[in-house]
Amino acid sequence: MNRSYPAEVDVIIVGSGPAGAAYARVLSERAPDARIALFEVGPTVTDPPGAHVRNIADPTRRADAQRRSEGPRGGSAATVDSPGAVKSGERRGRPGTFLLEDGFAADGEDGLPVAAMSSNVGGMSAHWTGACPRPNESERIDFVDDLDELLGEADRLLGVTTDAFEGAPFSDLVRERLAATADAGREPHARVQRMPLAVHRRADGALVWSGSDVVFGAETRSNANFTLFDESLVTAVIVEEGRTTGVRVSDRRSGEEHEVRARVVVVGADALRTPQLLWASGIRPDALGRYLNDQTQVVYATRILDAAAEPGDGAPPAAGISATSGVTWIPYTDAKPFHGQVMQLDASPIPLAEDDPVVPGSIVGLGLFCAKDLRREDRIEFSDEHLDGYGLPAPRIRYTLTTRDHEVLEQARAEIVRLAAAVGEPLGEHPFTLPLGASLHYQGTTRMGVTDDGESVCDPWSEVWGTQGLYVAGNGVIPTSTACNPTLTSVALAVRGARRIAESL
């Protein structure tokens, strides 16, 4: 950490989420002599910087870290804290996030009423569930021929495992019952299986959740040429004669403005704020902000009626994911265009049952994320008339579910009822569709493409069309309609871009 802003570096990274951290890590490994400055608008809320808040044992300190992540207004009370708040459809964000103040839905459109962001070192990776499934079938990017190798590298950087919850109560039973009803006709790789998670278990048995700290790794932290600047708002990317030459950045502690020169700039804020910064900088490719892709989410809960407490159980389920959790994955297929994330109650980020006590692991929450029918009309717009809490052009959402989207939703509702009945006794008369934006998996707004035809923002290595030395990173780069959690894919694409930068340096 340093507050002495440099006049010039080789590479500037904007945003400290997993994609920005991946650029820092790969460059530290492959171009160790390159001077790198990373600017993050939010504060450092964990030690080490970028760590997951779940790793904070003290609940008061953890709540404070979440509050400090909630944007320029800081500490909104409008967070989800009960099943009732979620199911009533109230416009609330999850702890550690903040909502768009307005502009989340245009008249006559569906919008994204609970679209949310985080501002802190580590970005959303300080608050996420850690699910890292691989894309399947049409989710995959067919013009990235080394995608599997890149996904493997993303697994390494994120510290992905599948055995952290081995032996969790009833998890084998849940997978067995799901497989019996869901696996027919699926290829082996697309059958019910353990969810790949960015989490590992220490020798003492404690769970450690990956945030950007794991992606940074010792390689970045020990790199004397890398510096992380928190509470630093990048207000513009500077472009001269078709090439980026640096950024303008405001120190949010002192209010001082700085200009930092660089050979390469990587903008990896998030799928809402990366196009915001490009637009504010006058960098406006035709596809900027377009093809906005959220994943509509259907949830349901079921109880394993024949469950009995297993030896050693006795404590009630812990809040959040704990040693009694099990997380199961039902991969996306084109025939069933949704991705299943099945979490025993103590693993669910959204409470699904209110009765207590329950046998640990016996309440199972099922969630299906639906792939979006991609449309150029679904987009983020900006104008100088509306400013956000940071003083930048505020995002205005234009977003509508198509007839096809509603058909997929109906298919998902029927499927989740079938799956819930296979596992146990469903809780409630019908599944619940979360408010749009609840997935936090926004994509497509700086999408990758093969040619500069107005339908993409960057090339297959994430360099912005028409602006040399400017790269974009994060979920917004993903060009396909996905249902699976996007972080692993966005880190894989970041690895590809970072390797290209390392070669150029």
Side-chain angles (χ1 to χ4, degrees):
M1 305 294 292
N2 196 316
R3 299 313 291 183
S4 178
Y5 289 79
E8 183 178 1
V9 294
D10 294 301
V11 180
I12 288 170
I13 302 170
V14 182
S16 62
Y23 271 90
R25 171 72 171 272
V26 173
L27 290 171
S28 293
E29 291 177 341
R30 295 192 170 217
D33 294 331
R35 298 163 297 163
I36 306 167
L38 190 154
F39 299 112
E40 165 59 51
V41 68
T44 301
V45 300
T46 56
D47 183 15
H52 201 299
V53 298
R54 277 202 187 107
N55 298 332
I56 302 174
D58 183 275
T60 300
R61 289 182 53 236
R62 184 167 59 249
D64 180 66
Q66 291 171 324
R67 179 190 59 77
R68 295 176 61 211
S69 302
E70 292 172 0
R73 310 300 185 202
S76 167
T79 54
V80 169
D81 55 7
S82 73
V86 177
K87 294 185 178 181
S88 69
E90 293 179 33
R91 189 171 174 266
R92 297 189 179 190
R94 300 179 197 172
T97 73
F98 62 100
L99 304 176
L100 293 176
E101 295 184 4
D102 54 21
F104 49 83
D107 291 342
E109 298 183 354
D110 296 304
L112 297 178
V114 295
M117 299 164 281
S118 293
S119 287
N120 52 272
V121 174
M124 199 69 78
S125 75
H127 314 283
W128 67 323
T129 303
C132 289
R134 293 196 175 200
N136 189 41
E137 297 187 7
S138 62
E139 292 182 304
R140 294 172 59 86
I141 307 168
D142 57 10
F143 56 81
V144 177
D145 54 9
D146 54 348
L147 183 60
D148 288 322
E149 187 272 328
L150 294 169
L151 291 168
E153 181 68 355
D155 279 335
R156 178 182 79 92
L157 296 183
L158 286 160
V160 174
T161 69
T162 57
D163 59 359
F165 297 100
E166 187 173 8
F170 313 115
S171 57
D172 290 339
L173 177 64
V174 169
R175 279 191 288 274
E176 177 184 327
R177 292 180 176 180
L178 288 172
T181 192
D183 278 354
R186 289 175 174 257
E187 296 293 326
H189 69 274
R191 293 173 185 166
V192 172
Q193 57 196 276
R194 294 174 181 173
M195 176 67 78
L197 293 166
V199 60
H200 68 275
R201 191 179 292 277
R202 292 196 320 232
D204 63 3
L207 294 171
V208 180
W209 297 91
S210 296
S212 288
D213 64 318
V214 171
V215 182
F216 283 130
E219 293 81 358
T220 307
R221 285 189 289 272
S222 64
N223 181 0
N225 291 316
F226 170 79
T227 310
L228 168 63
F229 299 87
D230 68 353
E231 298 186 75
S232 297
L233 172 65
V234 174
T235 58
V237 176
I238 303 169
V239 177
E240 299 174 359
E241 298 180 352
R243 181 174 187 85
T244 183
T245 59
V247 302
R248 285 192 289 274
V249 58
S250 173
D251 185 338
R252 284 180 54 79
R253 298 182 190 176
S254 68
E256 295 178 350
E257 302 287 337
H258 301 267
E259 183 173 307
V260 182
R261 308 286 286 185
R263 297 166 60 185
V264 176
V265 174
V266 179
V267 182
D270 55 41
L272 303 182
R273 288 181 284 184
T274 293
Q276 175 191 50
L277 179 57
L278 266 60
W279 195 93
S281 306
I283 304 165
R284 302 174 184 177
D286 289 344
L288 184 68
R290 293 187 177 273
Y291 294 99
L292 174 61
N293 171 16
D294 178 39
Q295 297 168 350
T296 308
Q297 188 177 0
V298 179
V299 297
Y300 205 20
T302 190
R303 184 194 301 271
I304 303 174
L305 289 179
D306 49 351
E310 297 190 359
D313 295 333
I321 299 181
S322 71
T324 62
S325 303
V327 186
T328 297
W329 175 29
I330 307 174
Y332 166 97
T333 67
D334 291 340
K336 294 195 173 179
F338 26 77
H339 144 85
Q341 187 166 294
V342 180
M343 301 182 288
Q344 284 151 264
L345 177 66
D346 32 331
S348 176
I350 300 173
L352 293 169
E354 295 174 307
D355 54 333
D356 188 43
V358 297
V359 176
S362 66
I363 305 294
V364 181
L366 300 95
L368 294 181
F369 294 80
C370 301
K372 180 72 171 72
D373 187 11
L374 295 187
R375 304 189 317 143
R376 183 179 174 85
E377 296 83 1
D378 293 325
R379 63 194 186 277
I380 310 172
E381 296 180 333
F382 304 97
S383 78
D384 294 328
E385 298 176 8
H386 303 282
L387 302 181
D388 66 7
Y390 294 109
L392 291 175
R396 321 294 289 184
I397 303 296
R398 303 296 305 274
Y399 195 82
T400 301
L401 298 184
T402 67
T403 299
R404 169 63 177 163
D405 291 328
H406 286 289
E407 290 171 352
V408 171
L409 261 174
E410 284 303 313
Q411 187 181 353
R413 292 185 185 109
E415 181 70 1
I416 206 169
V417 168
R418 193 172 73 90
L419 296 172
V423 172
E425 180 182 68
L427 299 173
E429 296 180 359
H430 51 77
F432 179 74
T433 303
L434 295 182
L436 296 182
S439 78
L440 308 180
H441 294 168
Y442 326 121
Q443 300 164 60
T445 54
T446 53
R447 68 200 309 252
M448 176 182 287
V450 177
T451 58
D452 184 9
D453 58 1
E455 298 301 307
S456 60
V457 171
C458 65
D459 70 14
W461 289 267
S462 301
E463 189 172 21
V464 174
W465 297 115
T467 308
Q468 288 184 295
L470 176 59
Y471 289 72
V472 284
N475 296 342
V477 176
I478 299 171
T480 54
S481 177
T482 72
C484 71
N485 310 64
T487 302
L488 187 76
T489 302
S490 66
V491 169
L493 299 178
V495 169
R496 198 173 209 243
R499 287 175 176 174
R500 192 188 202 202
I501 293 171
E503 291 172 2
S504 72
L505 295 176

